[in-house]
Amino acid sequence: MKHQEADCLFCRIVRGEIPAKVIYRNEHVVAFRDITPVAPKHVLIIPVRHISSLSELQPEDEAIAGQILLATGAVAEILGIKASGYRFVFNSGADAMQSVFHIHGHLIGGQQMGWPPFP
Ligand code: AMP
């Protein structure tokens, strides 16, 4: 598949080589349940195309960036939290504790959250 990396965990989920609880997909993005949820609802939305982090997004990726954001409403509706609210978080780099280097937004909800998000 074009624009994929052989050994990237999330590229492998896109290709169906590693099982995941996929709840939504279209030609641009895939959304699946986080394996270690931090809230009652926790889904990762990733681009089909491999891009390692927000910092690597290029001007030509504008449409993909938009598709990731556009998917949040559809995913929130599937999760039943569109009306109650949710948070969409990207971890980028070491301080944010990014651990998988294929862009992913964490869509989390299903409970009241606080702000700021750190103690
Ligand atoms: P981050 O720390 O922002 O890079 O988040 C990576 C996320 O990927 C974590 O929340 C992990 O729980 C999640 N994760 C890692 N492996 C898998 C997997 N095989 N399926 C679903 N989620 C995963």
Side-chain angles (χ1 to χ4, degrees):
M1 202 183 278
K2 258 178 99 180
H3 308 304
Q4 289 266 304
E5 293 225 333
D7 295 330
C8 167
L9 174 63
F10 287 175
C11 285
R12 296 191 71 192
I13 286 176
V14 168
R15 294 194 297 268
E17 295 169 7
I18 291 178
K21 291 182 181 163
V22 174
I23 65 161
Y24 176 85
R25 76 185 300 156
N26 62 31
E27 68 177 291
H28 306 289
V29 303
V30 179
F32 53 94
R33 305 259 181 195
D34 195 291
I35 205 166
T36 311
V38 300
K41 309 286 182 182
H42 186 172
V43 164
L44 303 176
I45 302 178
I46 72 170
V48 167
R49 183 188 188 123
H50 180 87
I51 303 168
S52 61
S53 73
L54 287 185
S55 306
E56 301 305 321
L57 271 174
Q58 303 300 315
E60 60 267 29
D61 299 324
E62 183 180 359
I64 292 173
Q67 289 291 338
I68 295 169
L69 287 180
L70 274 174
T72 57
V75 170
E77 184 146 40
I78 291 165
L79 294 173
I81 57 173
K82 194 169 181 179
S84 54
Y86 51 91
R87 190 166 284 166
F88 195 49
V89 177
F90 291 85
N91 294 325
S92 188
D95 274 3
M97 297 193 72
Q98 182 181 4
S99 63
V100 178
F101 287 83
H102 178 132
I103 290 181
H104 50 281
H106 296 254
L107 194 149
I108 54 179
Q111 66 173 62
Q112 180 65 56
M113 289 173 271
W115 191 264
F118 36 79

